[in-house]
Amino acid sequence: MSRGSGKGLSLKDKLDGNELDLSLCDLNEVPVRELAALPKATVLDLSCNNLISLPSDFCSLMHLVKLDLSKNRLQQLPLDFGRLVNLQHLDLLNNRLVTLPVSFAQLKNLKWLDLKDNPLDPVLAKVAGDCLDEKQCKQAAVKVLQHMKAIQSEQDRQRQQKLQAEREMEKKREAEQRAKEAQERELRKREKAEEKERRRREYDAQKAAKQEMEKKTKKETGHTRKPASSSRPTQPPRYKPSWSRLVLRVLLFVLFCILCTLAACKLTELQHQPLCVSMNTLYEDVVAALQNHKTLQNMLQHNS
């Protein structure tokens, strides 16, 4: 590796046991692919270079146990820096770091840490303290891990709260949606019932109108037929001639003649004639006999 990029440089020539020294190589970037091919290199020295940042795939070098990144120009570490779970010794002296990634809390095997000469956040700087001897550097590792774990826990808590709030909001939206759908169903049901009632009233009205029309038609038909029947001239019933009627007529004619004879005998000068005298005597005898009979008398009184 070239001087600036590290390409053309044989890493195997620099490998001494499990230690790989790439310090003072004027590196602008880390040769991650070549380093991944050397899993035996658990101790890596990248100090005194021109590194501004570490690539994200640098965190795949999980075999690293000791890492020296001091005296570079690092402004931040990769977000998943905590994947280097086997890391025990980390030197970040004299860089441009302000904060550490939250995943730093996952470096559970970290025993030694140096963060001196970085423009750290005041809280983080106070937690890290000085790293002037072995004891202070070990204490820095413990305190920074605790601090980052607390930050991670707080972020997890906030994340859980946010997630819970989102879930509650989602439940609320679902409840509102269900209430809205229920209200719409109730509205549709009520509209359907009203429509059904309206159609029923229309049906009843049409039925009543039809019945009224039928009654009116029948009434008009009856009125129309009556004048037709009354317009015809009434004719006296025609009686068929019979023997009884003929005999009755003859008897009535004879009676009429007798009455006329009696009237003539009573009222005219013929009353002194023998025939009229006999007729008058017979009439008076018949009347006297009839008057003696109660039933006939009642009939005569009724008829009179």
Side-chain angles (χ1 to χ4, degrees), residues 87-201:
L87 199 60
Q88 299 179 13
H89 185 108
L90 177 60
D91 192 347
L92 293 171
L93 170 71
N94 195 11
N95 276 278
R96 300 177 181 177
L97 298 173
V98 177
T99 60
L100 297 175
V102 178
S103 64
F104 199 91
Q106 300 173 12
L107 301 178
K108 57 183 180 179
N109 293 314
L110 190 63
K111 303 294 189 298
W112 194 97
L113 177 62
D114 188 358
L115 287 172
K116 290 193 311 297
D117 299 331
N118 279 281
L120 296 174
D121 177 82
V123 177
L124 180 58
K126 184 177 180 180
V127 170
D130 293 328
C131 183
L132 302 177
D133 54 31
E134 189 74 11
K135 183 178 180 180
Q136 288 182 346
C137 293
K138 288 182 178 180
Q139 288 179 350
V142 173
K143 291 181 179 180
V144 170
L145 282 179
Q146 290 177 349
H147 177 69
M148 298 310 297
K149 286 180 180 179
I151 293 177
Q152 186 181 46
S153 297
E154 180 63 20
Q155 289 187 356
D156 290 343
R157 187 183 66 81
Q158 292 178 357
R159 191 180 300 109
Q160 288 295 329
Q161 288 181 346
K162 183 178 179 181
L163 182 60
Q164 184 66 23
E166 291 176 353
R167 289 176 180 174
E168 291 178 356
M169 184 62 67
E170 182 65 23
K171 289 181 179 179
K172 184 178 180 181
R173 284 195 296 265
E174 291 177 356
E176 291 176 352
Q177 183 66 25
R178 287 194 297 270
K180 183 178 179 181
E181 292 175 354
Q183 186 177 6
E184 291 177 352
R185 285 195 301 269
E186 185 65 24
L187 179 61
R188 288 194 297 268
K189 184 177 179 181
R190 185 165 58 252
E191 290 176 350
K192 186 177 180 181
E194 292 176 353
E195 177 65 18
K196 185 176 181 180
E197 180 64 20
R198 184 186 64 80
R199 287 189 279 109
R200 187 188 65 79
R201 289 196 299 267

Side-chain angles (χ1 to χ4, degrees), residues 212-229:
E212 185 67 22
M213 184 63 68
E214 290 177 353
K215 290 180 180 179
K216 186 176 181 181
T217 303
K218 289 181 180 179
K219 187 175 181 181
E220 291 177 353
T221 303
H223 288 170
T224 304
R225 288 179 180 177
K226 284 181 180 180
S229 61

